[in-house]
Amino acid sequence: MPTITTTDGVEIFYKDWGSGQPIVFSHGWPLSSDDWDTQMMFFLDHGYRVIAHDRRGHGRSSQVAQGHDMDHYADDLAALTEHLDLHDAVHVGHSTGGGEVAHYIARHGEARVAKGVLISSVPPLMVQTESNPGGLPKSVFDGFQAQVAQHRSTFYRSLASEPFYGFNREGVEPDEAIIENWWRQGMMGGAKAHYDGIVAFSQTDFTEDLKKITVPVLVMHGDDDQIVPYADSAPLSAALLKNGSLKTYKGFPHGMPTTQAETINADLLTFIQV
């Protein structure tokens, strides 16, 4: 099983398939690199080298108690790109992974980076503050933490079967296999990592990170995202980026890379090829 060991002794699992220009995928909370299977197969078939890792505490990476914050997430990603000696890489992040991508590029520089993509992503800031009145109240995320600590299996099943993929919307037929795969990925990871990760994705302010990034970045977001509400995320991120572009998907849910993979993959390919 391919892994790297970070400077603080954490084993990070990763997949590395194919050759050509590298595309690096950063997954959302509380999932794993498996959530990118459809994208990895698609881009592998189009001649790209595709790489995805399990964030520390998630999937097959070490279930450590420490380091579940954006600085460590970004540093772990940097360690992986250095280990694989990646250059001209396109970094694609979904949800929490979008925050990881933004923080990685801003924190570690653009020497190895060609482009970035933020899909249904948490930047600039999810939690409501005086300077971010459109954010979600902290009590929402406190509730998430309580459910992870007390009965995360039930909580994860509810998230996957209802708002994550929009399966709670009228006329949308739930896909049981997708729900079960989400739950499987979530339960593979560690409860402590997932508990702390809620603070990381909700309270990290990525405003200054976004301002630092100069490479082209595509921001993709569905306007019916029930996890990361559209109005306080995608348009604000695109406006902060020096070379950002926004693509809005009418009616698409948070988990659109899975449920609308054909559309998302085609638009990603177009952006990468330009």
Side-chain angles (χ1 to χ4, degrees):
M1 189 169 76
T3 63
I4 62 164
T5 302
T6 66
T7 55
D8 60 340
V10 179
E11 284 196 350
I12 302 293
F13 168 85
Y14 68 92
K15 306 174 186 181
D16 181 6
W17 305 340
S19 58
Q21 184 181 14
I23 305 176
V24 185
F25 296 93
S26 291
H27 64 78
W29 177 96
L31 304 174
S32 75
S33 57
D34 292 353
D35 204 44
W36 290 113
D37 282 352
T38 303
Q39 282 69 42
M40 291 183 72
M41 294 299 293
F42 175 86
F43 284 99
L44 181 66
D45 189 52
H46 281 77
Y48 291 89
R49 180 182 179 185
V50 291
I51 297 144
H53 66 293
D54 292 355
R55 188 170 299 119
R56 62 169 58 207
H58 296 63
R60 288 140 292 206
S61 292
S62 299
Q63 289 195 17
V64 293
Q66 75 283 353
H68 306 298
D69 55 72
M70 280 295 163
D71 284 352
H72 281 87
Y73 295 167
D75 292 351
D76 293 348
L77 180 54
L80 177 63
T81 61
E82 290 164 12
H83 173 77
L84 298 176
D85 195 26
L86 302 181
H87 295 275
D88 196 34
V90 178
H91 283 266
V92 181
H94 176 247
S95 195
T96 299
E100 179 179 285
V101 166
H103 199 51
Y104 159 72
I105 297 174
R107 183 174 171 87
H108 291 276
E110 300 178 347
R112 296 177 179 271
V113 180
K115 295 179 179 180
V117 182
L118 309 181
I119 304 177
S120 309
S121 292
V122 297
L125 174 63
M126 281 201 75
V127 73
Q128 186 180 70
T129 64
E130 286 187 10
S131 60
N132 186 43
L136 296 172
K138 184 175 179 294
S139 59
V140 171
F141 304 108
D142 293 343
F144 288 174
Q145 286 189 303
Q147 292 183 82
V148 167
Q150 294 165 14
H151 41 71
R152 67 177 179 136
S153 177
T154 303
F155 178 45
Y156 289 176
R157 175 76 186 187
S158 176
L159 274 177
S161 61
E162 295 179 357
F164 197 92
Y165 295 111
F167 291 149
N168 56 344
R169 294 308 197 201
E170 185 177 353
V172 179
E173 186 69 27
D175 188 318
E176 191 62 30
I178 289 176
I179 294 167
E180 290 180 0
N181 189 44
W182 197 102
W183 183 90
R184 174 191 68 85
Q185 292 178 69
M187 294 307 294
M188 283 173 64
K192 181 63 164 63
H194 295 170
Y195 183 91
D196 292 350
I198 293 167
V199 174
F201 75 65
S202 67
Q203 296 186 30
T204 302
D205 189 341
F206 299 95
T207 299
E208 296 306 314
D209 289 335
L210 295 168
K211 290 178 180 178
K212 290 178 183 176
I213 297 171
T214 65
V215 296
V217 178
L218 175 62
V219 181
M220 311 169 77
H221 216 108
D223 69 0
D224 194 33
D225 191 321
Q226 300 173 70
I227 304 297
V228 181
Y230 174 84
D232 200 56
S233 54
L236 305 183
S237 291
L240 288 165
L241 290 158
K242 289 184 172 65
N243 195 4
S245 55
L246 173 63
K247 192 164 185 64
T248 304
Y249 297 87
K250 185 173 177 56
F252 279 21
H254 187 67
M256 63 185 189
T258 297
T259 54
Q260 278 80 22
E262 184 175 350
T263 298
I264 300 304
N265 289 351
D267 289 348
L268 276 173
L269 181 63
T270 297
F271 173 71
I272 291 168
Q273 288 180 333
V274 171

